[in-house]
DNA sequence: GCGACAG
DNA sequence: ATCTTGTCGC
């Protein structure tokens, strides 16, 4: 079987799909209870030319204040291909996370987890590699349909299985899509996301996004200079 | 075959 | 995601 700790050196759709299907069966359902969380991390990646800028930000769960922030620059492995986002974002994301000194109890990733055609989105793949609880939070749907029940959140179903939840966070009319990444239940993932959602985008991801943008601006050549 | 398609 | 200025609204 393919090694979950190493991404493919030569990307091919066939091998990537096979890897995703194999890894999806390794996702652990052991729950990460919100009451046991002390530190939560947000992870995001931004791009400029061929470079990818990963950022990992750790927040104190009780106060939602940033206590640590690390970034990393990598050459983007490949261009964006729908359903294969992990192969593009993981190198920079993992690199940034490895620099953290504080060990987060749970990670919030900007992308789907189980709500993926082969049930292994970026958040799940990331979780397996770092072997930690992860929650997938996406701003758009990749697959599945929203079941129209009136609640604070609505299930995302694909066929007869629930793969995630559309959560109405902040005071937004548009939902965000939450799904299990690794080592957590959908129920806990939703609770944690709602707790962190001062605005539509949960704090950990919001801060990680800003950190990634800043890392990019720093390494970038000033506009009027060339 | 056609359209959809996280970031 | 990224390319980009001002602008409408809470």
């Amino acid at each position: 079987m393919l090694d979950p700790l190493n991404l493919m050196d030569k990307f091919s759709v066939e091998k990537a799909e096979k890897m995703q299907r194999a890894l999806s069966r390794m996702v652990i359902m052991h729950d990460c209870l919100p009451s046991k969380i002390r530190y939560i991390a947000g992870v995001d990646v931004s791009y400029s030319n061929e470079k990818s800028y990963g950022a990992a930000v750790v927040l104190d769960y009780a106060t939602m204040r940033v206590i640590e922030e690390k970034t990393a620059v990598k050459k983007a492995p490949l261009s964006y291909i729908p359903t294969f986002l992990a192969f593009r974002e993981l190198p920079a994301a993992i690199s940034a996370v490895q620099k953290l000194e504080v060990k987060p109890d749970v990670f919030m990733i900007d992308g789907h987890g189980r709500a993926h055609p082969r049930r292994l989105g970026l958040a799940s793949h990331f979780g397996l590699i770092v072997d930690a609880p992860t929650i997938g939070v996406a701003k758009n749907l990749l697959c599945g349909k929203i079941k129209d029940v009136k609640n604070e959140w609505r299930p995302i179903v694909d066929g007869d299985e629930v793969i995630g939840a559309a959560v109405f966070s902040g005071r937004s009319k548009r939902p965000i899509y939450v799904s299990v990444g690794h080592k957590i239940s959908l129920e806990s993932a939703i609770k944690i996301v709602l707790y962190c959602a001062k605005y539509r985008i949960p704090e950990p991801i919001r801060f990680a996004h800003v950190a990634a943008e800043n890392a990019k601006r720093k390494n970038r050549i000033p506009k009027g200079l060339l």
Side-chain angles (χ1 to χ4, degrees):
Chain A
M1 194 203 282
L2 298 159
D3 184 353
L5 298 183
N6 292 312
L7 295 176
M8 298 176 295
D9 37 29
K10 297 287 203 284
F11 180 88
S12 86
V13 169
E14 295 71 29
K15 280 172 64 176
E17 290 184 335
K18 185 176 179 181
M19 178 186 275
Q20 290 177 330
R21 275 188 273 263
L23 292 181
S24 71
R25 295 193 292 271
M26 299 172 65
V27 169
I28 307 299
M29 289 309 292
H30 294 166
D31 203 358
C32 169
L33 300 172
S35 59
K36 308 272 281 185
I37 300 172
R38 185 142 162 225
Y39 302 119
I40 184 166
V43 179
D44 190 24
V45 178
S46 65
Y47 298 87
S48 183
N49 300 316
E50 302 290 271
K51 297 289 184 65
S52 50
Y53 300 81
V57 174
V58 181
L59 326 196
D60 176 75
Y61 195 67
T63 63
M64 283 292 117
R65 304 293 259 178
V66 177
I67 62 171
E68 191 182 6
E69 182 176 312
K70 289 287 186 292
T71 60
V73 188
K74 289 279 186 178
K75 178 178 182 180
L78 41 141
S79 56
Y80 170 65
I81 303 170
T83 81
F84 298 109
L85 178 63
F87 295 93
R88 175 169 167 78
E89 299 215 334
L90 281 178
I94 298 294
S95 180
V97 167
Q98 287 175 333
K99 294 181 180 177
L100 292 177
E101 291 175 24
V102 177
K103 189 183 194 305
D105 298 297
V106 59
F107 288 87
M108 205 175 271
I109 312 296
D110 73 329
H112 292 288
R114 224 191 135 205
H116 176 276
R118 291 167 293 283
R119 306 292 178 263
L120 194 94
L122 169 63
S124 307
H125 201 148
F126 174 95
L128 283 168
I129 290 179
V130 304
D131 188 34
T134 60
I135 300 170
V137 177
K139 295 176 286 301
N140 294 288
L141 215 48
L142 175 59
C143 67
K145 292 177 291 190
I146 307 302
K147 207 172 176 184
D148 189 23
V149 298
K150 304 290 181 185
N151 212 299
E152 191 168 26
W153 61 272
R154 304 174 183 185
I156 299 172
V157 298
D158 193 0
D160 56 6
E161 58 178 322
V162 175
I163 59 177
V167 178
F168 294 85
S169 50
R171 322 171 194 63
S172 179
K173 188 69 180 176
R174 292 189 54 199
I176 50 175
Y177 305 97
V178 178
S179 59
V180 169
H182 186 49
K183 289 184 168 180
I184 198 166
S185 68
L186 180 58
E187 293 67 34
S188 294
I190 293 169
K191 282 180 191 168
I192 294 167
V193 166
L194 284 172
Y195 173 82
C196 298
K198 188 174 178 182
Y199 306 105
R200 183 167 97 111
I201 305 302
E203 300 297 80
I205 290 183
R206 231 165 46 79
F207 287 125
H209 186 76
V210 172
E213 285 294 311
N214 288 336
K216 176 173 62 180
R217 277 182 22 202
K218 249 169 96 175
N219 270 51
R220 196 173 174 173
I221 297 164
K223 233 181 175 181
L225 214 61
L226 277 185

